[in-house]
Amino acid sequence: MTSIRSKLDRRVGPSQAQTSNQTTTIITITTLDKPCTNVKRPQPWDLLNIDMVTVTDKPISWLSKETPGYSLFADPPKQLPFPKYVLSSTTPEDGHVATPQRRIATRGTEIFLASGPEVRCADLRDLKARHEDGKGKSVARTESGADKGYKILNIPELDFNIHQLEISPDGNYLAIIGERQVGICMLPAPGFARLGTEKLRANYHHVGRAFYAENSERIVRALWHPLGVDGASLVILTSDAYIRVFDFTMHLAHTIEQPNQTFDLSALSGRDRQKSSFTPDPESFEPSSFCFGTGEQGWRPFTLYILMRGGDIYALSPIVPSRWKASADYLNNLALEISTNLEALTDVADATMNDKLVLRQQTKWVNEVMEQQATISASNQISFNNGGRKQQDWYTRPESVGPTPVLQGPFLLNPAPEETSSEEVYACDIMHITSEPVAILATVWSSGNVDVCLEFESVAAKWVGKKQRHRQMEKESHQMPVIACFETVLLNIPLPPDPARQSWPVFSENPLVAETIFVAHHGGVDAVDMSEWLRVLKVVLDQEEDENFIGKLLERSQGSAVTKVVNSGTNLPALPHPIIGCAVLQDSYVGYVLIATSPTMVYYADFDLPLESQEQEETLQEQTGTMQLEVRRTQAQNLPGYVASIVQPLYDPFQFLSDPPNLAHFLNQQRQTKPQLMRNQICYNAESLEILRQAREQVKREYERLMTTAEALCTRAQLQSVEYKRQVGKVDELNARAQKVQNADLAGRLQKSLQVQKDLTGRADALIRKLVVHGLGIGGEAGSVELSEREQEWITEVKKVKQKVSSSQGGLVKRMRRVEGVMNELGPLVERNLTIGDTEGEEVRDAVPVGIREKKLKELKDLYQKQAQLLDSTKAKVEKLESSCEELRL
């Protein structure tokens, strides 16, 4: 990897913007010695012309005004925590620093939005389907959630304004982050956002009340660990440089209140919190964000990249939850990599003590994990053979080493990024992207600059040892990791009066193309597309080219392309329009869309799906191979038999042809040094013969150079003649193909194909809309909802009760009606007999004694009252069951 780093050892500086309709190229590439020549020539990537992010002109009508989709973002919360058009956290006053805003989170096509202390949710498929079905064209401002088109999570315990939302990898939990407080709630099952109820009850817990309260430090970032079991491992970073890891078990309260791990970055970096010391920049070690590594190379899934406000980057590896899960292939590859490194270290004579210690610790760690893997596999196999289920599929944190990792950094940027501004700026967010053959670390600054750095080697796992026996080991353990700053992208964004304090841009991931990232900032959303130069780099590295070829090839690349996706300053320009939430999603029905929101409006953009075929990859490899011939040609005599002159510069003879002959220079020099000898007649002595010999050598060298040049010119002329014939033949071939295409009525066929595609698209949208709106769900009812095993058992029990109630043979309803009939028959008779029994002195007309008559009447009266109570109870049960069945039907 060292050779690869040297291949890309150059810096990028700003240049004049070259603007197209949608993409703006704002950087040029220069070497450390001198800028590359500005010669425009065809490049392999120019021939492909693949735009990974292309904004279409297609409007998203179901997010326009007066629709349920617009109401989801634009409706104010019921209890306004701040004025409607002023957002205190994004327009700070009195020196207060802005905080990152990430108020939109997605789970599939479900979107969750934070509005003040309120969390709203909706299914974008449902919003689009109901709008196209004619049910969402007009929205009434009512209190009914069904009319508004979205639902509200019923969390009465939530008592702070929400700044960030993060959904766990498995989609079961939602982290709700305020400026200084954080909580988690269990999300309803997917599909419940389409139910008819206005509010959805969510089980909420406040996290770490002792650490995150109104008077605590600001929370700058909170992320779920990608390897946490059931997604229940939350990592929280605060502005005082503390990282706390909470491994939640919902029925255990202490796991929610107390962190499982705590890392003091100041202590790990050697700073002492107790003693006061002079610090030239107190904000240089204030964290601004962090991210986990992506991909499965090395220790990246366990690596935490931490960005400081001053721009320094640190790494903690490994961060391991108390319970975690990883694929068997990844663990086997990790064990193989550690074993390979250990074998290679034995062959290194000058291996340091720290290198040996690190590999020993890694070996202990991975051996303990492999032992756990073997134990889990054996126990699961025994349980499966006995007819049971798997007992466990997760690992526990190894205890043989650690658990505290070494704080590695700050990273050494070689070369360093270009200084583009003398004003005060701060780093705001960081993102890690894995794209073969390298990984990318991107950082965004408050001024709008985006630094793109290349990481060629993953950060190795290192633990803090119990004892540092040697000062040399301690010194070696603090070696700085090295990354290369590839380019600095300048975003042309409007900035607030004090961008260092009021601007906090953040990154948004692209679920479809990892090489394209989105930056949400004070004036909208921009897309930074790195796919073109990464594709070229991948092709040339796969071919194992030499360093000079790769360096020159990358010098000619145009760098990352920038596309303005959302411009939030077009409406109400006198008011601030910072983007407080941004999400990108791709769905077969919703489309490939970006949705962003400001405190007052919603913005959206529709993208074309990127098309990249195998033919385009082959074309890129072929054109890159042709350019390889051009770069390697350094001398005329080494010209190959045929090189297409289209991709070569104009032929220029050697420079010495335009220079004066060396013989004249030699004679002038001799006249100056030996004037007496050169003026007199030639005398054949030793001195004059030496001058003649040297003159002969000069003439001989010039003659040989002239002959070599003549041969090169002849070869070039022959190559041009061959190329000319090739071009003529190619033109004739293309002309014949063009005539054939014109005669084939291509326009008519194209129009017919477009019409067929349009018809198929309409039919597909109609079917999807029908499935979304009228799709079969629980028991054949509308509204498909994924249910857990317990919920399915409860539904089965409800169906049994419903069958008992409505059965035609002896059902509760039939029995209730029979009891009503008997009561209706006995009622008048009981009343008449009671009247007769209460009449004193009246003669009894029948032969029944008075005492027996009164006893029987009393029994009938008691029976009547019992039946009336039974009837009321049965009616209440039937009404309750009918209500439950109606909810299930919805």
Side-chain angles (χ1 to χ4, degrees):
M1 288 300 178
T2 304
S3 60
I4 298 179
R5 182 180 294 112
S6 63
K7 299 172 187 178
L8 305 175
D9 192 14
R10 78 266 187 277
R11 73 194 335 173
V12 177
S15 70
Q16 186 176 0
Q18 301 174 356
T19 306
S20 62
N21 292 333
Q22 296 170 351
T23 304
T24 305
T25 303
I26 58 174
I27 58 174
T28 57
I29 299 179
T30 60
T31 61
L32 288 175
D33 298 329
K34 60 181 180 179
C36 61
T37 56
N38 189 16
V39 179
K40 299 298 294 183
R41 64 188 64 179
Q43 305 292 344
W45 44 88
D46 295 334
L47 300 177
L48 292 181
N49 192 22
I50 304 174
D51 289 333
M52 303 307 292
V53 175
T54 303
V55 183
T56 66
D57 297 331
K58 179 182 177 182
I60 304 180
S61 58
W62 48 277
L63 287 178
S64 59
K65 289 186 177 181
E66 302 301 326
T67 61
Y70 185 84
S71 301
L72 170 66
F73 300 93
D75 285 354
K78 293 184 178 180
Q79 295 181 355
L80 290 176
F82 39 77
K84 185 175 182 180
Y85 293 105
V86 177
L87 189 67
S88 59
S89 58
T90 55
T91 57
E93 298 178 358
D94 300 331
H96 181 69
V97 180
T99 56
Q101 303 290 321
R102 300 178 180 90
R103 303 194 188 184
I104 294 180
T106 58
R107 180 181 62 175
T109 59
E110 292 182 339
I111 188 168
F112 296 83
L113 172 70
S115 179
E118 185 177 274
V119 180
R120 303 170 182 174
C121 62
D123 194 321
L124 297 181
R125 278 188 170 188
D126 185 62
L127 291 178
K128 180 179 179 180
R130 296 187 184 279
H131 175 77
E132 294 181 353
D133 203 40
K135 299 181 180 180
K137 296 182 179 179
S138 179
V139 180
R141 301 293 181 176
T142 63
E143 297 297 328
S144 174
D147 294 336
K148 290 185 177 182
Y150 62 84
K151 307 297 179 292
I152 299 176
L153 295 185
N154 185 16
I155 309 177
E157 303 89 348
L158 191 60
D159 56 354
F160 57 86
N161 297 338
I162 304 172
H163 290 187
Q164 303 180 60
L165 293 178
E166 293 290 343
I167 296 180
S168 61
D170 59 358
N172 291 335
Y173 302 101
L174 175 67
I176 304 174
I177 304 104
E179 184 177 7
R180 304 177 187 277
Q181 298 166 286
V182 60
I184 60 168
C185 71
M186 297 184 64
L187 292 177
F192 273 87
R194 297 198 297 267
L195 296 180
T197 56
E198 177 183 1
K199 292 187 177 182
L200 298 176
R201 177 60 181 167
N203 189 12
Y204 174 82
H205 300 276
H206 193 101
V207 177
R209 296 179 185 272
F211 309 101
Y212 310 113
E214 294 182 359
N215 57 350
S216 62
E217 296 293 332
R218 292 183 298 107
I219 300 173
V220 296
R221 195 74 166 102
L223 282 176
W224 298 93
H225 199 293
L227 301 182
V229 175
D230 298 330
S233 182
L234 185 63
V235 184
I236 305 174
L237 172 64
T238 51
S239 59
D240 58 349
Y242 272 104
I243 292 179
R244 297 179 176 91
V245 183
F246 290 84
D247 295 337
F248 302 118
T249 302
M250 288 306 170
H251 63 277
L252 300 177
H254 70 275
T255 61
I256 301 175
E257 293 293 340
Q258 296 295 327
N260 185 266
Q261 297 180 88
T262 301
F263 305 111
D264 184 356
L265 300 182
S266 294
L268 292 176
S269 65
R271 291 173 170 82
D272 191 355
R273 292 181 179 271
Q274 305 298 329
K275 298 180 181 180
S276 60
S277 59
F278 172 74
T279 304
D281 186 4
E283 295 181 345
S284 62
F285 203 74
E286 177 186 349
S288 60
S289 184
F290 73 88
C291 68
F292 279 99
T294 57
E296 292 190 347
Q297 180 181 356
W299 296 87
R300 280 176 180 161
F302 297 100
T303 303
L304 206 64
Y305 297 91
I306 306 163
L307 178 67
M308 300 298 174
R309 292 283 281 168
D312 290 336
I313 301 175
Y314 292 83
L316 279 177
S317 180
I319 301 295
V320 187
S322 59
R323 298 183 305 158
W324 56 281
K325 184 189 301 185
S327 64
D329 292 339
Y330 167 71
L331 295 177
N332 293 333
N333 292 335
L334 182 61
L336 179 61
E337 178 181 348
I338 296 174
S339 176
T340 303
N341 294 338
L342 188 60
E343 292 178 359
L345 187 65
T346 57
D347 300 332
V348 178
D350 57 346
T352 63
M353 299 180 63
N354 182 69
D355 293 338
K356 297 178 182 179
L357 174 63
V358 168
L359 280 178
R360 284 200 302 268
Q361 291 176 334
Q362 294 179 0
T363 304
K364 290 180 181 179
W365 191 93
V366 76
N367 286 341
E368 185 174 346
V369 172
M370 301 308 290
E371 291 177 0
Q372 292 186 35
Q373 185 183 51
T375 303
I376 293 172
S377 299
S379 61
N380 289 338
Q381 184 65 35
I382 295 174
S383 177
F384 178 78
N385 294 336
N386 295 333
R389 299 180 180 179
K390 290 185 177 181
Q391 300 296 326
Q392 178 181 331
D393 58 351
W394 42 266
Y395 306 93
T396 59
R397 184 190 306 119
E399 299 179 353
S400 56
V401 293
T404 303
V406 173
L407 182 64
Q408 304 181 50
F411 280 44
L412 177 62
L413 275 64
N414 184 22
E418 184 77 13
E419 294 291 341
T420 59
S421 175
S422 59
E423 299 179 356
E424 183 183 19
V425 293
Y426 293 105
C428 296
D429 200 8
I430 186 171
M431 174 179 284
H432 187 275
I433 303 169
T434 297
S435 177
E436 296 297 335
V438 297
I440 298 172
L441 271 176
T443 58
V444 61
W445 296 73
S446 57
S447 60
N449 293 1
V450 178
D451 291 338
V452 179
C453 302
L454 303 182
E455 182 191 37
F456 301 97
E457 299 177 356
S458 61
V459 177
K462 296 182 180 180
W463 291 267
V464 176
K466 297 180 179 180
K467 293 182 180 180
Q468 293 285 1
R469 298 183 180 179
H470 304 282
R471 292 184 178 271
Q472 182 66 21
M473 291 179 58
E474 184 177 0
K475 183 178 180 181
E476 293 171 356
S477 63
H478 287 83
Q479 293 179 352
M480 293 185 294
V482 180
I483 57 177
C485 183
F486 177 77
E487 63 180 359
T488 297
V489 181
L490 307 183
L491 303 181
N492 186 17
I493 64 175
L495 296 175
D498 186 6
R501 298 285 179 177
Q502 300 176 355
S503 175
W504 199 301
V506 295
F507 287 117
S508 291
E509 296 180 355
N510 189 342
L512 200 60
V513 182
E515 293 80 4
T516 301
I517 58 178
F518 295 90
V519 183
H521 47 75
H522 197 80
V525 180
D526 287 295
V528 180
D529 184 7
M530 301 172 286
S531 57
E532 291 187 356
W533 62 266
L534 280 172
R535 190 183 300 110
V536 174
L537 180 63
K538 181 179 185 300
V539 170
V540 296
L541 289 182
D542 288 345
Q543 296 177 358
E544 298 183 356
E545 303 296 343
D546 56 7
E547 298 179 7
N548 294 331
F549 172 64
I550 297 177
K552 292 180 179 180
L553 186 65
L554 289 178
E555 287 175 11
R556 300 174 184 178
S557 68
Q558 299 301 317
S560 301
V562 178
T563 304
K564 175 66 69 175
V565 180
V566 169
N567 188 359
S568 61
T570 56
N571 298 321
L572 299 176
L575 296 175
H577 294 273
I579 298 299
I580 61 176
C582 178
V584 183
L585 54 94
Q586 193 275 329
D587 180 70
S588 58
Y589 182 57
V590 176
Y592 183 24
V593 297
L594 176 142
I595 300 176
T597 181
S598 69
T600 57
M601 297 192 65
V602 58
Y603 307 90
Y604 48 81
D606 182 79
F607 302 126
D608 280 338
L609 289 175
L611 300 177
E612 184 175 355
S613 62
Q614 182 68 25
E615 180 181 358
Q616 292 170 332
E617 288 290 340
E618 294 175 356
T619 303
L620 178 63
Q621 295 179 3
E622 179 181 355
Q623 296 297 334
T624 307
T626 305
M627 181 171 291
Q628 174 188 358
L629 297 177
E630 173 197 353
V631 175
R632 289 181 174 178
R633 185 183 64 83
T634 57
Q635 296 181 359
Q637 59 269 26
N638 293 332
L639 282 172
Y642 169 71
V643 176
S645 60
I646 297 177
V647 297
Q648 293 197 11
L650 294 176
Y651 181 73
D652 185 17
F654 295 109
Q655 183 67 27
F656 76 88
L657 291 178
S658 59
D659 296 337
N662 292 335
L663 181 61
H665 176 72
F666 173 75
L667 293 177
N668 292 332
Q669 185 179 7
Q670 294 298 324
R671 289 190 185 98
Q672 294 176 2
T673 58
K674 303 174 182 179
Q676 189 68 25
L677 180 64
M678 298 299 295
R679 291 175 184 175
N680 298 331
Q681 294 181 357
I682 299 177
C683 297
Y684 296 100
N685 51 27
E687 190 174 5
S688 61
L689 290 176
E690 178 64 22
I691 293 175
L692 290 175
R693 188 189 66 79
Q694 294 180 6
R696 175 183 173 277
E697 293 294 334
Q698 290 288 344
V699 173
K700 182 180 178 181
R701 283 195 295 268
E702 290 187 8
Y703 174 76
E704 291 177 352
R705 294 172 65 186
L706 287 173
M707 291 302 297
T708 303
T709 304
E711 292 178 359
L713 287 172
C714 182
T715 303
R716 178 68 182 189
Q718 294 176 357
L719 291 176
Q720 288 183 348
S721 177
V722 173
E723 177 64 20
Y724 175 75
K725 293 179 181 179
R726 288 279 189 90
Q727 290 181 356
V728 172
K730 196 65 177 179
V731 169
D732 292 339
E733 181 183 352
L734 293 176
N735 187 29
R737 294 174 62 185
Q739 293 293 335
K740 184 178 179 181
V741 170
Q742 291 177 359
N743 297 333
D745 190 17
L746 183 61
R749 294 171 58 189
L750 178 61
Q751 188 66 27
K752 184 177 179 181
S753 299
L754 292 176
Q755 184 62 35
V756 172
Q757 181 183 5
K758 184 177 180 180
D759 296 341
L760 292 175
T761 303
R763 292 173 59 187
D765 289 344
L767 289 174
I768 295 176
R769 183 169 62 254
K770 187 175 181 180
L771 289 174
V772 173
V773 180
H774 308 289
L776 295 179
I778 304 171
E781 304 295 341
S784 177
V785 179
E786 299 180 4
L787 300 176
S788 63
E789 183 178 354
R790 294 291 182 86
E791 290 171 334
Q792 292 176 357
E793 293 177 356
W794 182 77
I795 291 173
T796 303
E797 185 67 22
V798 171
K799 289 181 179 179
K800 292 181 180 179
V801 175
K802 181 180 178 182
Q803 185 178 5
K804 291 180 180 180
V805 171
S806 59
S807 176
S808 58
Q809 298 180 355
L812 294 179
V813 175
K814 187 174 182 180
R815 292 175 59 187
M816 180 187 67
R817 292 174 180 173
R818 291 173 58 186
V819 171
E820 288 180 347
V822 173
M823 290 181 62
N824 292 333
E825 293 178 359
L826 294 178
L829 179 60
V830 171
E831 294 293 340
R832 184 171 58 85
N833 290 333
L834 288 175
T835 304
I836 295 174
D838 293 338
T839 304
E840 296 182 358
E842 183 177 353
E843 184 180 358
V844 181
R845 298 179 181 179
D846 52 15
V848 179
V850 177
I852 296 177
R853 183 184 298 275
E854 292 178 354
K855 182 178 179 181
K856 293 297 183 180
L857 288 175
K858 185 177 180 181
E859 292 178 356
L860 287 174
K861 186 176 181 180
D862 295 340
L863 179 62
Y864 178 80
Q865 292 177 353
K866 291 180 180 180
Q867 292 295 335
Q869 295 176 357
L870 178 61
L871 180 61
D872 294 339
S873 176
T874 304
K875 285 183 177 180
K877 292 181 179 180
V878 171
E879 291 175 355
K880 185 176 180 180
L881 290 173
E882 289 179 350
S883 177
S884 300
C885 294
E886 185 66 23
E887 290 182 359
L888 291 176
R889 188 178 299 107
L890 294 176

